[in-house]
Amino acid sequence: MDKINETIKTQLAHRTIREFTDQKIPDDVFELLMEVGRHTATSVGMQACSIIRITDSDLKKEIAEVCGQEYVARAPELMIFIVDQYRNYQIAKEKGYTAETAKDMDRFFQSFTDACLMAQNIVTAAESLGLGTVYLGSILNDSEKICELLKLPEMTFPVLGLGIGYPNQNPMKKPRMEMKLRVFENAYSSFNNYLDEIKDYDEEMKTYYDLRDPEKPLGSFSDQVVRRYMQSNPRRSGILNVIRKQGFDLKIKQS
Amino acid sequence: MDKINETIKTQLAHRTIREFTDQKIPDDVFELLMEVGRHTATSVGMQACSIIRITDSDLKKEIAEVCGQEYVARAPELMIFIVDQYRNYQIAKEKGYTAETAKDMDRFFQSFTDACLMAQNIVTAAESLGLGTVYLGSILNDSEKICELLKLPEMTFPVLGLGIGYPNQNPMKKPRMEMKLRVFENAYSSFNNYLDEIKDYDEEMKTYYDLRDPEKPLGSFSDQVVRRYMQSNPRRSGILNVIRKQGFDLKIKQS
């Protein structure tokens, strides 16, 4: 399609990169990535998310342990995006307002959204410069531990980790299901038989996993769905308890 | 800086566009944006977010009413990104698994993150094609109403709205605070006096608002923080009650 420009070419070529060369990311490149982060859209202009850049190698190892992914410790750049209502709460306090509404869950979700938008903007910029990236949702395997490790104050919370570096691998692109299963018009629409709908995709994923690692065939997409759902971790599913511990007011009504 | 390529140039030029020309977005452009969405990183490959594309003009008006922003009804393309654990839950059920863990809050947050990453990827692609975009966090003014309007089934939830079209305005770029206030090394670091730190930024924002609309001067950034925190809406802050109503298991321990 003639609409495909360099930006979109980068976006369509996205793959997760987990192995990086030893090359450091130059300072001016890192700063440019932060500039892109700074220019990302932010809910009602509040800029209520922040980044913790991890440069300490022992800390990297501790985070890698939470993630259960040893390669995390080897990422040339590692950053954790966080919900941050702390900064604006202090600003309001300094102006003489107690602003307990800073602790409301809609603020939390605004910050959480800001953090994700910023992360993706930085990922696209990094990939456009030939860098590789890996998202680390696995920091939430133990969000309480991450709060401790990063000394996160009240009204902050970890959202997502991100590793960046120069790629030292050339993995295949992971197939995705068709968008007709994911884009609906005016209302949600269900399918009568999902396994039927994803039959080809299931096959495609099976082949992908077989080729990726013949020693460790992971089966089809639907096999993976079941496998993932069977894994349950109370430290993960109890995330709201940690969010409350960080000072947010859940505002749950008795059910 | 010589590192600035076309992609990054687009990202650094980001502004919210609220007024669009009548020109429709061509089908092939819309499809390309969906392709970019499809290629976005997704937590453990689960692709657990979806898009509701709003084409019905009455429905657009109802959504605009929830948002409290009449221009929403006039966006040539309007889409709502949603948490979607429903699809994979059905897939697991069809394979004979009840998969109640689909309702856990860590799945919810995985989906929420997926939805935000996809939205930002689509925004960058759209802007690279000369389109303008406006995020609509305001759909969460009444998330329950949005669930009704879009007929969202259990284990789905609205995250973020997005309007796209050809720009019919040329707004100034909104100034942002310095990244030294937002990027920390290895641990969160507080400042002794935030109002001091943002003094120049506060002035810059005041000038920005004055120039943007001399009839409606909004004051400094810190004024805005206070103003926003003073606004509290029980339908917004009670968001977790609607998330629970949509079938998610909050897993809150007695405090």
Side-chain angles (χ1 to χ4, degrees):
Chain A
M1 193 190 294
D2 64 348
K3 301 289 186 329
I4 297 182
N5 57 28
E6 286 304 311
T7 299
I8 291 173
K9 214 179 280 176
T10 296
Q11 292 177 304
L12 295 179
H14 169 74
R15 301 159 308 166
T16 294
I17 300 294
R18 291 180 179 82
E19 294 296 338
F20 303 102
T21 69
D22 291 336
Q23 198 186 339
K24 295 264 168 272
I25 295 175
D27 287 345
D28 61 343
V29 172
F30 182 81
E31 278 156 31
L32 184 55
L33 295 179
M34 293 303 100
E35 271 307 292
V36 167
R38 194 162 86 104
H39 284 77
T40 309
T42 163
S43 185
V44 291
M46 289 294 103
Q47 302 162 74
C49 72
S50 296
I51 295 174
I52 316 281
R53 182 189 190 184
I54 314 297
T55 56
D56 181 275
S57 58
D58 289 337
L59 184 54
K60 275 190 185 180
K61 277 180 208 147
E62 293 197 83
I63 293 169
E65 224 164 90
V66 170
C67 294
Q69 292 153 319
E70 57 80 30
Y71 58 79
V72 170
R74 290 185 279 110
E77 281 291 346
L78 178 63
M79 53 192 90
I80 313 289
F81 293 83
I82 63 168
V83 161
D84 190 352
Q85 291 287 342
Y86 175 84
R87 181 174 42 246
N88 288 348
Y89 182 69
Q90 300 307 317
I91 287 171
K93 276 211 290 196
E94 288 180 19
K95 287 188 86 110
Y97 294 88
T98 49
E100 290 306 297
T101 52
K103 300 173 178 174
D104 287 352
M105 281 307 287
D106 54 334
R107 321 279 174 184
F108 178 90
F109 279 107
Q110 284 179 332
S111 284
F112 197 98
T113 302
D114 273 13
C116 294
L117 301 185
M118 186 183 270
Q120 182 57 35
N121 222 16
I122 289 173
V123 159
T124 302
E127 291 181 345
S128 80
L129 295 168
L131 291 159
T133 64
V134 53
Y135 276 124
L136 304 162
S138 51
I139 60 164
L140 297 182
N141 286 347
D142 191 346
S143 53
E144 195 167 3
K145 178 83 180 174
I146 296 289
C147 290
E148 276 168 38
L149 288 173
L150 307 183
K151 301 183 174 61
L152 296 189
E154 57 170 351
M155 275 162 284
T156 64
F157 192 79
V159 171
L160 194 59
L162 176 64
I164 308 186
Y166 291 94
N168 199 20
Q169 61 175 178
N170 188 15
M172 289 180 288
K173 270 172 67 174
K174 200 174 196 172
R176 301 278 200 243
M177 71 174 72
E178 288 176 84
M179 280 309 265
K180 74 161 188 178
L181 287 153
R182 302 185 70 189
V183 183
F184 313 115
E185 206 170 328
N186 297 318
Y188 197 93
S189 39
S190 311
F191 292 83
N192 286 327
N193 189 321
Y194 282 91
L195 288 178
D196 244 29
E197 295 291 338
I198 63 167
K199 204 167 169 235
D200 292 346
Y201 178 59
D202 252 357
E203 270 308 306
E204 198 184 354
M205 281 303 289
K206 201 172 165 310
T207 308
Y208 163 82
Y209 283 126
D210 287 351
L211 289 172
R212 194 175 76 164
D213 189 351
E215 307 284 303
K216 198 183 155 197
L218 289 173
S220 63
F221 174 74
S222 57
D223 289 337
Q224 279 293 307
V225 167
V226 169
R227 193 167 150 258
R228 291 292 178 180
Y229 276 153
M230 292 299 108
Q231 295 166 349
S232 186
N233 170 352
R235 273 187 204 277
R236 285 191 65 98
S237 57
I239 184 170
L240 285 174
N241 299 294
V242 187
I243 291 169
R244 180 173 56 188
K245 201 178 163 201
Q246 285 298 103
F248 289 97
D249 181 356
L250 303 185
K251 296 234 160 100
I252 309 284
K253 291 183 205 140
Q254 293 300 322
S255 57
Chain B
M1 195 190 294
D2 64 348
K3 301 289 187 327
I4 297 180
N5 57 30
E6 287 303 311
T7 299
I8 291 173
K9 214 178 281 176
T10 296
Q11 293 176 303
L12 295 180
H14 168 76
R15 300 162 306 167
T16 294
I17 300 293
R18 292 179 178 83
E19 295 295 339
F20 303 102
T21 69
D22 291 337
Q23 199 186 339
K24 294 264 166 274
I25 294 175
D27 286 346
D28 61 343
V29 172
F30 183 81
E31 277 156 30
L32 185 55
L33 294 179
M34 294 303 101
E35 271 307 291
V36 168
R38 194 162 87 103
H39 284 77
T40 309
T42 162
S43 185
V44 293
M46 290 294 103
Q47 303 161 74
C49 72
S50 296
I51 293 174
I52 317 282
R53 181 189 191 185
I54 313 298
T55 56
D56 181 275
S57 59
D58 289 338
L59 184 54
K60 276 191 185 178
K61 276 179 210 147
E62 293 198 82
I63 293 169
E65 225 163 273
V66 170
C67 294
Q69 293 152 319
E70 57 80 29
Y71 58 80
V72 170
R74 289 184 279 110
E77 282 290 346
L78 178 63
M79 53 192 91
I80 313 289
F81 293 84
I82 62 168
V83 160
D84 191 353
Q85 291 287 342
Y86 174 85
R87 180 173 44 244
N88 288 348
Y89 182 71
Q90 301 307 316
I91 287 172
K93 276 211 290 194
E94 288 180 18
K95 288 187 85 107
Y97 295 87
T98 48
E100 290 305 296
T101 52
K103 301 174 178 173
D104 287 352
M105 280 307 286
D106 54 333
R107 321 278 175 185
F108 177 90
F109 280 106
Q110 284 178 333
S111 284
F112 197 98
T113 302
D114 274 13
C116 294
L117 301 185
M118 186 184 270
Q120 181 57 36
N121 223 15
I122 289 173
V123 159
T124 302
E127 291 182 344
S128 81
L129 295 167
L131 291 158
T133 64
V134 53
Y135 276 124
L136 304 162
S138 50
I139 60 164
L140 297 182
N141 287 347
D142 191 346
S143 53
E144 195 167 2
K145 177 84 181 174
I146 296 289
C147 290
E148 275 169 38
L149 288 173
L150 306 183
K151 301 183 174 60
L152 296 190
E154 56 170 352
M155 275 161 286
T156 63
F157 192 78
V159 171
L160 194 58
L162 177 64
I164 307 185
Y166 290 94
N168 199 20
Q169 60 175 178
N170 188 15
M172 289 180 286
K173 272 172 65 174
K174 200 175 195 172
R176 300 279 200 244
M177 72 173 73
E178 287 177 84
M179 281 309 266
K180 74 162 189 177
L181 287 155
R182 303 185 68 189
V183 184
F184 314 114
E185 205 169 328
N186 296 317
Y188 196 92
S189 37
S190 311
F191 292 82
N192 286 327
N193 189 320
Y194 282 91
L195 288 179
D196 245 28
E197 295 292 338
I198 63 168
K199 206 169 166 230
D200 292 346
Y201 179 59
D202 252 356
E203 269 308 306
E204 198 184 354
M205 282 302 289
K206 201 173 164 308
T207 309
Y208 164 81
Y209 283 126
D210 287 350
L211 288 172
R212 195 175 77 167
D213 189 351
E215 307 284 302
K216 198 183 155 197
L218 289 172
S220 63
F221 175 73
S222 57
D223 289 338
Q224 278 294 304
V225 167
V226 169
R227 194 166 150 258
R228 290 292 179 181
Y229 275 155
M230 292 300 107
Q231 295 166 350
S232 186
N233 170 351
R235 274 186 203 277
R236 286 191 65 97
S237 57
I239 184 171
L240 285 174
N241 298 295
V242 187
I243 291 169
R244 179 171 57 188
K245 199 177 165 202
Q246 285 298 104
F248 289 96
D249 182 356
L250 303 186
K251 296 234 161 99
I252 310 284
K253 291 184 204 141
Q254 293 300 320
S255 56

